[in-house]
Amino acid sequence: MSETNPKMDKGQRSNRTVGLICAGIFVTMIGAAYAAVPLYNLFCQVTGFGGTTQVAESESDRVIERIVTVRLDGNVNHTLSWSFKPLQRSVSMKMGETAQVAYVAMNTGDKPTVGTSVFNVTPNEAGAYFNKLECFCFTEQALQPGESIEMPVVFFVDPDMDNDPELKHVKEITLSYTFFPVDQPEQPIAARTENATAETKL
């Protein structure tokens, strides 16, 4: 009859403990990675990091004489059969003044598709001062084959940008959008079409 080796038992327990600790760290890191995504997005929205723009609920309460030109850019991911471009290439405005521009998108494919857009401004630091009041980028866009849609963007540039030493000499800001396909739309295209038809009748 063999005897149990206390040293071996102790070593096995140590190995199991180390294994459990490593597994716990791995799970924690995975959880932290998922949690970091919304936190990172929130950080970008608040600070304008990476050219992320702001969302405003009302127009600016002041306008200053400094002029800034906003250049418009539109792109489409190669997996989405759309054409997409701004109706005008640029708009010049006073800081604090509200401006409205529009982009047009067209489904050039042979089936209904839904797209969503990502956006940023350059220089990146200007994102903290670029405020949108209305934008097609807030929702998904559904288009039938051959259908086109004109989509407005209403925005202003915060006059506080004039006090930022890093942006003191900036005269131009580029607002850029890129459309990507949505594999699982928030609302089926058929339902969108029915809702649009009902609203038209009203």
Side-chain angles (χ1 to χ4, degrees), residues 32-99:
Y34 280 102
V37 173
L39 289 176
Y40 177 79
N41 290 339
L42 178 61
F43 171 76
C44 289
Q45 291 171 1
V46 172
T47 64
F49 182 77
T52 303
T53 60
Q54 312 300 302
V55 178
E57 295 182 355
S58 60
E59 297 182 354
S60 175
D61 57 0
R62 65 191 180 96
V63 177
I64 63 175
E65 292 302 314
R66 180 178 169 184
I67 301 293
V68 62
T69 297
V70 178
R71 299 198 175 278
L72 308 174
D73 178 52
N75 307 280
V76 180
N77 183 270
H78 69 279
T79 58
L80 182 63
S81 298
W82 283 18
S83 64
F84 171 65
K85 63 181 181 180
L87 291 181
Q88 62 190 95
R89 288 298 176 184
S90 65
V91 58
S92 295
M93 54 197 290
K94 295 179 179 180
M95 288 187 173
E97 183 179 14
T98 299

Side-chain angles (χ1 to χ4, degrees), residues 44-181:
C44 289
Q45 291 171 1
V46 172
T47 64
F49 182 77
T52 303
T53 60
Q54 312 300 302
V55 178
E57 295 182 355
S58 60
E59 297 182 354
S60 175
D61 57 0
R62 65 191 180 96
V63 177
I64 63 175
E65 292 302 314
R66 180 178 169 184
I67 301 293
V68 62
T69 297
V70 178
R71 299 198 175 278
L72 308 174
D73 178 52
N75 307 280
V76 180
N77 183 270
H78 69 279
T79 58
L80 182 63
S81 298
W82 283 18
S83 64
F84 171 65
K85 63 181 181 180
L87 291 181
Q88 62 190 95
R89 288 298 176 184
S90 65
V91 58
S92 295
M93 54 197 290
K94 295 179 179 180
M95 288 187 173
E97 183 179 14
T98 299
Q100 177 171 330
V101 297
Y103 283 74
V104 62
M106 179 177 181
N107 182 352
T108 59
D110 57 2
K111 61 181 180 180
T113 48
V114 178
T116 186
S117 60
V118 296
F119 54 87
N120 74 304
V121 298
T122 52
N124 292 340
E125 294 80 5
Y129 303 100
F130 199 100
N131 292 267
K132 293 179 181 177
L133 293 161
E134 180 182 346
C135 183
F136 58 86
C137 57
F138 296 160
T139 59
E140 297 174 351
Q141 304 296 325
L143 292 176
Q144 297 291 334
E147 182 184 6
S148 63
I149 184 174
E150 188 173 308
M151 303 175 293
V153 184
V154 182
F155 63 92
F156 65 88
V157 178
D158 194 327
D160 286 344
M161 177 176 156
D162 191 51
N163 301 322
D164 191 326
E166 294 186 8
L167 300 171
K168 196 68 177 177
H169 303 292
V170 170
K171 296 181 180 180
E172 293 183 355
I173 296 174
T174 298
L175 173 62
S176 181
Y177 292 92
T178 301
F179 259 102
F180 291 86

